[in-house]
Amino acid sequence: MIKGIPVSKGYAIAKIYKLHKPKIDTQKSLVMDPELEIKRYHDAIHKTKLAIEKLKSKSIERFGEETSKIFDAHLMIADDPEIKTSVESMIRHEQCNLTYALQTVVDRFLRLFSDLDNEYLRERAIDLKDVSERILSHALGLETSDLSLIQDNVILVSEDITPSETTQLDTTYIKGFITEQGGMTSHSAIIARLLNLPAVAGVKDALKKLRDGDEVIIDGFSGKVLLNYDDTTRLDYEERIQKYLTHLSSLSSYIGLPSRTVDGYETKLLANIGTPKDVDLVFAHDAEGIGLFRTELLYMDKKEMPSEEEQFLAYQEVLTKMHDQKVVIRTLDIGGDKYLPYLTLEHELNPFLGNRAIRLSLSKPDIFKVQLRALLRASVYGNLHILIPMISTKEEIVSVKKIIKELKKDLDASGIPYGNYQLGIMIEVPSAVMLADALAKEVDFFSIGTNDLIQYTFAADRTNENLSSYYQPCHPVILQMISRVTQAAHDAKIPVSVCGEMASSLIQGPLLLGLGVDELSMTPSEILKMRRVLHLNSYEILCQTAQNVLKYDSEEHVLREIKKWIVLEGDS
Ligand code: PEP
Ligand code: MG
């Protein structure tokens, strides 16, 4: 058995099909005519761009506009002036061959990416590799693999499945992915989730350890890849596959239905997203809006601060696509475990208790104002809710409102339009819970960030595996805090949602509703499952259960009680 990161749920049993990339000779050799070599390079770029355009239209047909945007990025990489100039000058100065020059330049960029402690950027390295391999193949007149020719049930194994390859995937035969690289946010993982294919990423040396034609079992829940197994294990997995398929097909019947309990209580199930691309997932999983757009990725995916225009376009795109559905966009939440490579911050002994989120934004108003202006301008295009992270005092939100007021004045003076929007705060620090009554008078909505609220309440770093036993979402103190916040919100007649991971849990989510939370915002793939659970449960019982467990003194006791009352499986 080998193990990787489970990035897309499901199981499959099929033969290994290793994606063989064409062998490209990148040895250095001298060329007689460097200008001719540069012309070959330009021709290869031209052919590559034509090929990418074709893949893009195929991809739009299959996966929609949003997911296919990756090919716009590929077109830009193919034409990247920095790479082009470096390759051309290397060919001229060293009188060397194109394949050597391009590989050397690309390797330099890849090293730069891989040194970054940023998962998203590391994964963009895959795009650069994909495009440069295409250019090299075109320059050498080599064929690239044609996955549409596969006619057998297989599990693909590769360094990573590139965006160009994913457009050729035929799920009649391709049953899952195993990749050596990538993670939760890589393109192949997103596509696997869209296609409901099991996928395991980050499997070291998969290409060496697995042989073409060998049958394996892939478990997208645990990240296991089973190589040699007995008949009992195979039978067990066959049963699991059947059960999971039945479960999935029953889920699709919840598309378009209201998120309503058996006794008629209706809520909204919203999606958490990280980039405008994720809007595809919002639609695919029938979310009723976006409850949290973490804007950090817009900042992390750059070599410098994104401009007001870039941000405006991203927000405008999401708002326009969502029409009048709610879109909650959170302002920059940097600091703690998230940082920007181009923003030097003072070293802190306790970064989670340091200058992060709104504290950082208020200490760097120039950066904050750019984002707020972009948001105000985008508010014309949809149902915008601006969310401020990590508020711990009333003064912070008062300062934010003052800045917004000044920005609106500037926009008015310049004749730049802005529309209506709601302003809300994240309740994720214990002081904000205790201050909820006063804070509720200042804002239009609350969103509870349980991930941080739990870590700050138990004083246990959420990223420290050794302290995971302290991470107790259903501990009565957390539930009491949530209940206090919902009470304060409702007294002030403002709505309250939860956008932390608790909202994605099929047990904890319904309990949150019982505690008075109005809406849940979660990982898109959990939405239909949650809707199904709501259809099986009574709101009255959820409320009674929630009230009963508030007086307990341990999470264990709460879990025992709620498992008695919350129905997770129907008759189907
Ligand atoms: C939270 O803290 O619950 C939350 C949603 O914010 P993040 O996970 O981005 O810190
Ligand atoms: Mg948080």
Side-chain angles (χ1 to χ4, degrees), residues 365-377:
D366 291 347
I367 297 176
F368 192 34
K369 282 181 185 169
V370 171
Q371 182 168 38
L372 288 175
R373 255 179 80 100
L375 284 166
L376 287 173
R377 285 173 53 203

Side-chain angles (χ1 to χ4, degrees), residues 272 292 294 296 330 333 338 356 426 428 448-453 462 471 499-501:
N272 290 353
L292 174 65
R294 291 179 163 104
E296 291 80 68
R330 183 174 73 182
D333 186 3
K338 303 175 226 168
R356 59 168 291 210
M426 291 207 55
E428 48 185 348
I448 307 178
T450 47
N451 306 342
D452 276 318
L453 186 59
R462 70 195 239 194
Y471 205 80
C499 60
E501 284 311 304

Side-chain angles (χ1 to χ4, degrees), residues 468-495:
S468 59
S469 63
Y470 285 94
Y471 205 80
Q472 299 187 19
C474 284
H475 195 289
V477 298
I478 301 294
L479 306 181
Q480 284 165 26
M481 287 171 125
I482 294 169
S483 169
R484 184 185 176 114
V485 174
T486 59
Q487 192 62 52
H490 294 161
D491 285 350
K493 302 204 169 18
I494 63 167

Side-chain angles (χ1 to χ4, degrees), residues 364-429:
K364 299 203 177 291
D366 291 347
I367 297 176
F368 192 34
K369 282 181 185 169
V370 171
Q371 182 168 38
L372 288 175
R373 255 179 80 100
L375 284 166
L376 287 173
R377 285 173 53 203
S379 63
V380 178
Y381 296 91
N383 185 358
L384 173 66
H385 287 54
I386 300 175
L387 178 62
I388 311 293
M390 216 197 157
I391 289 287
S392 58
T393 67
K394 186 176 140 185
E395 289 70 21
E396 287 166 329
I397 189 63
V398 171
S399 304
V400 172
K401 284 163 77 175
K402 206 166 139 216
I403 296 175
I404 295 181
K405 204 169 160 194
E406 282 163 16
L407 289 172
K408 280 186 184 171
K409 245 202 228 156
D410 292 348
L411 290 170
D412 284 336
S414 321
I416 300 173
Y418 53 86
N420 292 326
Y421 62 90
Q422 304 276 301
L423 178 68
I425 55 170
M426 291 207 55
I427 303 284
E428 48 185 348
V429 177

